[in-house]
Amino acid sequence: QLLEACGIIPDFFAEACITAETENPDGVNLDAIADAMDNVYQFGGFQYPLGGDLDADGVYRSQYADDPDMSPLVRFAYAVTMGGQAFECFVYQYGITAIRERGSEAAKVARFD
């Protein structure tokens, strides 16, 4: 049921990580993965970011006080071959998706519906 709820977002993340790593052999960053996800998705994604932030466990807190905090349905991780970085993708209800470099507070959040 969780995989069905995620749709093909995990596929976008995996393809984006592989593409970003292939196209940036000197180092992958969050922007490269976000751009690659947008290229795969073709309908906006991180080009139209949502406000808010993630806590250490990946719970999404919207910028709007009336919105409840959202725990992720799933978390996927990708370890870059060179450089030792690891990136995480969190998928929430309603197609809300967040990515971040593991151990960093910087994150990108958008809707992939």
Side-chain angles (χ1 to χ4, degrees):
Q1 290 176 339
L2 290 176
L3 287 176
E4 282 185 32
C6 293
I8 56 176
I9 294 170
D11 296 322
F12 292 157
F13 176 65
E15 185 174 338
C17 289
I18 292 167
T19 299
E21 189 170 14
T22 302
E23 293 179 357
N24 301 287
D26 295 333
V28 178
N29 61 34
L30 196 59
D31 289 331
I33 292 175
D35 290 345
M37 279 186 78
D38 287 346
N39 287 336
V40 173
Y41 180 53
Q42 295 281 315
F43 294 102
F46 295 113
Q47 296 175 36
Y48 305 103
L50 298 177
D53 58 14
L54 306 181
D55 71 9
D57 295 321
V59 175
Y60 171 61
R61 295 179 300 233
S62 170
Q63 65 184 359
Y64 302 106
D66 293 344
D67 289 347
D69 292 351
M70 296 177 77
S71 294
L73 298 172
V74 295
R75 177 186 66 89
F76 298 94
Y78 181 86
V80 176
T81 319
M82 301 292 287
Q85 301 146 293
F87 295 91
E88 299 174 309
C89 176
F90 299 91
V91 182
Y92 307 87
Q93 291 180 3
Y94 317 113
I96 295 174
T97 303
I99 57 173
R100 73 175 174 198
E101 185 172 351
R102 187 177 287 168
S104 171
E105 291 185 19
K108 291 184 176 282
V109 183
R111 188 163 177 190
F112 284 74
D113 53 353

